Amino acid sequence: MTAVVETSPLPTRTRRGVWLSVASSVLFMAMVLLLFLNRFLLPTHLTAEQLSNDAVRVLQEPRPLVLGNLQNQLGEPVTPAFFQGHWSLLFFGFTHCPDICPTTLYELNRAIKQLPPQLAAKVQVTLVSVDPARDTSQVIADYVQQFNDGFTGITGEFVDLKLFANSVSVPFVKVPVTGPHAQHMGANAYQIDHGAQLVVVNPDGNYHAFFKAPIEGDVVAKQLPAIVNAY
């Protein structure tokens, strides 16, 4: 014959303690889950050191631009207002560049198309020509629009361009072309060696960061939102 063991219900105080323990555990797990989701869903404000990596470097202190007497692709003077109120991506090159310049502008067009529409509308891509002898405002306008209708250009006298480039640490130098074809090129027998980094100017019109060469559209599209969010 099997004995039947009767169990007594838990005292009210004990039951309350059990429920409080369960509720506390559930609440703790919910808080952990929320913190986990918050880390990935909300924009993260990173420091310059955290943003800087093998592809991009953010300056500890943004630096002012030295504009001098420059003109845009419409022949209008370039003033501080040209850079204010939006993010600018500046690439220093020239329209006769055989490889790096067209490749970079192609990649920047890819980057703009990959950015969220609201951010893309706040980004201005500009080719700064370091070949003023051949690149007039109209030449630059025709050139950049082959890559994107929204791209802009800047040109000016050599001295003004040099001061502007120096303010954002972009080197360039005119290099004579030698050889059998040089005599046929006449005054155009030269190339321009130039830095291939991409300069980032913030909405205050200050030099803010730069992407290291070679420029890749996927990398710019991935890293630029983080720079903007941390601004």
Side-chain angles (χ1 to χ4, degrees):
M1 182 175 181
T2 303
V4 178
V5 179
E6 295 184 359
T7 59
S8 301
L10 292 173
T12 301
R13 180 176 299 177
T14 303
R15 290 201 305 271
R16 186 181 297 115
V18 172
W19 280 109
L20 286 174
S21 297
V22 173
S24 298
S25 299
V26 172
L27 181 61
F28 175 76
M29 294 174 62
M31 290 177 64
V32 171
L33 179 60
L34 287 174
L35 289 172
F36 178 80
L37 292 175
N38 180 73
R39 179 179 178 182
F40 290 94
L41 296 180
L42 293 182
T44 303
H45 293 275
L46 304 176
T47 64
E49 294 87 348
Q50 291 171 319
L51 282 170
S52 298
N53 53 49
D54 290 339
V56 62
R57 185 164 298 278
V58 177
L59 276 62
Q60 291 286 349
E61 292 291 337
R63 295 178 359 207
L65 305 177
V66 178
L67 297 181
N69 184 24
L70 302 175
Q71 300 83 44
N72 65 14
Q73 80 281 3
L74 301 177
E76 302 168 340
V78 175
T79 67
F82 184 83
F83 301 98
Q84 293 171 349
H86 54 260
W87 289 86
S88 295
L89 302 179
L90 309 181
F91 182 75
F92 288 70
F94 61 113
T95 64
H96 286 74
C97 180
D99 41 36
I100 295 176
C101 300
T103 299
T104 299
L105 291 173
Y106 170 80
E107 290 295 325
L108 290 176
N109 179 54
R110 291 183 61 241
I112 292 297
K113 291 182 176 179
Q114 292 180 51
L115 290 174
Q118 288 185 336
L119 176 55
K122 299 178 181 178
V123 176
Q124 174 177 265
V125 175
T126 300
L127 170 67
V128 182
S129 172
V130 292
D131 186 10
R134 292 182 289 196
D135 290 348
T136 64
S137 296
Q138 187 60 55
V139 169
I140 296 174
D142 293 340
Y143 183 76
V144 296
Q145 288 178 3
Q146 296 178 42
F147 299 92
N148 188 297
D149 290 341
F151 286 5
T152 61
I154 288 178
T155 187
E157 297 297 327
F158 181 87
V159 172
D160 295 298
L161 288 167
K162 198 68 175 177
L163 290 172
F164 183 39
N166 287 344
S167 71
V168 292
S169 303
V170 177
F172 71 90
V173 62
K174 191 174 182 178
V175 180
V177 173
T178 59
H181 300 292
Q183 60 181 349
H184 301 294
M185 297 175 67
N188 292 328
Y190 66 89
Q191 290 289 338
I192 307 288
D193 286 348
H194 58 90
Q197 66 265 49
L198 180 66
V199 173
V200 181
V201 178
N202 65 35
D204 289 329
N206 294 321
Y207 174 30
H208 190 86
F210 67 92
F211 284 87
K212 303 172 187 177
I215 305 304
E216 298 180 7
D218 296 340
V219 174
V220 174
K222 179 180 179 180
Q223 298 288 346
L224 187 60
I227 295 173
V228 172
N229 289 334
Y231 176 60

